[in-house]
């Protein structure tokens, strides 16, 4: 599937509903919002699905694109890697999927996946330019958030020259990078800082700091008063340890159920580690869900790391 084929499919429809994934991050929310904006500029009726998981940090960016679902819409999934990632409450079919996860199984009849992109926002940028000819400032602002959050403000290993060129283009189109960088990467609540302190206090390190596993329990969140907004990008926290190669964040999302996020450098395949538990993603950034207590999850994940990356 090519960008032009996606554009042709969009031009043939007039009513759209855009889906984001469960536990939505900046890439899925802002890419979906930017696509809605462009579709409306193209004369279409487009709304975002009101994903109940969108946190307060992103609600102001998504709110203008919520609305009544049009009759018989063309449903577009943005940054949704698998049917297991559909947002809570969604049970319908998907007509078009636009994604950057290489292991996307192609669950939609029309699927466009570019695994070389650091973010789905980069793909959506190309779609919008091809659809409308230009990016407006609102779309540039949204897509800068999408690109920067999925690349860790351009610090993650998925950042390429193409990623930086995309960011530069968005700035040229009006994205206020200094304002957005301050808001999303340099402003933290006291609860978030307290939570990070608890994470470091309980950090499990192996192989002279090359493997670092952090556990976040529901009790920790209650103790420091953290909300879902305070959990944004927690997966990067254990990776700050000097010499770290494999970094794991295990977060208890409900009793007996954990979300596991694995980040690695080029030496180790994160998707292979998560694949042991039915998960996946990118080579250096993957995840899975385990229906066990977080302490047991830490033991199992450490064992999987040793299998994938023997000493």
């Amino acid at each position: 599937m090519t960008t032009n084929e996606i554009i042709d499919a969009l031009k043939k429809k007039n009513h759209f509903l855009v889906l984001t994934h469960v536990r939505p991050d900046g890439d899925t929310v802002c890419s979906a919002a930017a696509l809605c904006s462009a579709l409306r500029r193209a004369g279409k009726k487009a709304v975002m699905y009101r994903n109940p998981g969108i946190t307060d940090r992103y609600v102001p960016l998504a709110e203008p694109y919520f609305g009544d679902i049009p009759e018989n819409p063309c449903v577009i999934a943005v940054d949704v890697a698998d049917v297991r990632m559909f947002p809570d409450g969604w049970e319908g079919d998907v007509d078009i999927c636009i994604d950057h996860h290489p292991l996307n199984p192609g669950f939609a009849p029309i699927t466009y996946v570019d695994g070389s992109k650091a973010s789905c926002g980069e793909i959506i940028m190309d779609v919008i330019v091809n659809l409308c000819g230009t990016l407006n400032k609102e779309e540039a602002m949204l897509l800068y958030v999408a690109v920067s959050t999925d690349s860790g403000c351009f610090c993650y290993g998925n950042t390429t020259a193409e990623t930086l060129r995309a960011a530069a283009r968005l700035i040229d189109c009006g994205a206020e990078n200094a304002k957005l960088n301050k808001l999303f990467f340099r402003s933290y609540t006291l609860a978030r800082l307290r939570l990070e302190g608890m994470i470091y206090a309980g950090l499990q390190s192996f192989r002279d700091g090359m493997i670092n596993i952090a556990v976040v329990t529901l009790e920790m969140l209650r103790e420091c008063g953290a909300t879902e907004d305070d959990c944004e990008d927690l997966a990067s926290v254990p990776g700050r340890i000097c010499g770290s190669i494999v970094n794991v964040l295990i977060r208890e999302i409900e009793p007996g159920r954990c979300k596991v996020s694995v980040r690695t450098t080029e030496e180790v395949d994160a998707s292979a580690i998560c694949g042991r538990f039915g998960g996946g993603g990118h080579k250096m950034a993957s995840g899975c869900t385990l229906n066990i207590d977080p302490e047991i999850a830490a033991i199992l994940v450490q064992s999987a790391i040793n299998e994938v990356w023997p000493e």
Side-chain angles (χ1 to χ4, degrees):
M1 184 66 62
T2 66
T3 302
N4 286 337
E5 288 174 307
I6 290 292
I7 299 303
D8 289 341
L10 296 179
K11 288 181 176 179
K12 291 176 182 177
K13 301 292 184 178
N14 290 312
H15 295 167
F16 294 90
L17 176 65
V18 185
L19 300 183
T20 52
H21 61 63
V22 68
R23 294 186 294 277
D25 57 16
D27 191 20
T28 189
V29 172
C30 293
S31 293
L35 180 59
C36 271
S37 173
L39 287 168
R40 291 177 181 182
R41 285 204 292 132
K44 313 291 186 178
K45 181 175 177 59
V47 298
M48 285 178 63
Y49 177 76
R50 193 177 289 272
N51 187 334
I54 296 178
T55 61
D56 291 342
R57 175 182 293 239
Y58 295 113
V59 165
L61 301 176
E63 189 69 44
Y65 302 100
F66 293 146
D68 295 333
I69 298 176
E71 186 176 356
N72 298 320
C74 175
V75 180
I76 308 175
V78 174
D79 195 41
V80 180
D82 192 272
V83 294
R84 294 171 294 180
M85 297 296 290
F86 285 165
D88 290 340
W90 177 257
E91 296 180 350
D93 295 324
V94 171
D95 301 297
I96 300 173
C97 178
I98 302 174
D99 189 24
H100 71 123
H101 296 94
L103 297 182
N104 187 302
F107 57 84
I110 299 175
T111 297
Y112 181 90
V113 177
D114 186 346
S116 70
K117 304 292 189 184
S119 67
C120 198
E122 296 169 63
I123 302 173
I124 296 299
M125 182 182 73
D126 292 338
V127 169
I128 291 176
V129 170
N130 279 277
L131 179 66
C132 299
T134 61
L135 289 163
N136 65 22
K137 180 174 180 176
E138 175 70 11
E139 291 154 6
M141 293 281 280
L142 288 166
L143 292 176
Y144 184 89
V145 175
V147 174
S148 62
T149 52
D150 241 33
S151 64
C153 203
F154 314 105
C155 291
Y156 293 165
N158 62 349
T159 303
T160 65
E162 189 174 358
T163 310
L164 297 174
R165 281 191 287 269
R169 185 173 186 178
L170 294 169
I171 294 170
D172 286 339
C173 290
E176 299 174 35
N177 60 309
K179 174 183 176 180
L180 295 172
N181 289 344
K182 169 68 174 175
L183 180 62
F184 287 94
F185 302 102
R186 295 175 53 226
S187 299
Y188 299 97
T189 65
L190 283 173
R192 167 61 183 244
L193 296 177
R194 291 186 179 116
L195 179 59
E196 288 193 12
M198 296 175 74
I199 290 172
Y200 287 125
L203 192 69
Q204 303 174 40
S205 291
F206 307 94
R207 299 197 207 175
D208 296 323
M210 290 190 293
I211 299 173
N212 294 283
I213 301 176
V215 173
V216 177
T217 64
L218 294 173
E219 179 57 32
M220 290 168 64
L221 297 177
R222 284 192 290 268
E223 187 174 335
C224 65
T227 66
E228 191 64 31
D229 264 343
D230 296 312
C231 297
E232 178 83 12
D233 196 32
L234 277 181
S236 68
V237 172
R240 298 173 189 167
I241 304 301
C242 185
S244 187
I245 293 176
V246 181
N247 319 295
V248 182
L249 192 288
I250 299 172
R251 181 184 167 197
E252 185 180 26
I253 52 179
E254 59 185 62
R257 191 163 184 256
C258 302
K259 177 187 176 184
V260 179
S261 299
V262 179
R263 303 290 183 266
T264 65
T265 57
E266 292 182 351
E267 296 96 312
V268 184
D269 189 343
S271 64
I273 295 169
C274 293
R276 295 289 198 277
F277 308 105
H282 300 279
K283 182 178 180 181
M284 294 187 288
S286 292
C288 61
T289 300
L290 298 179
N291 294 319
I292 52 179
D293 291 332
E295 294 78 10
I296 299 175
I299 295 171
L300 293 180
V301 171
Q302 183 190 358
S303 177
I305 293 170
N306 290 332
E307 291 176 6
V308 171
W309 187 42
E311 291 189 63

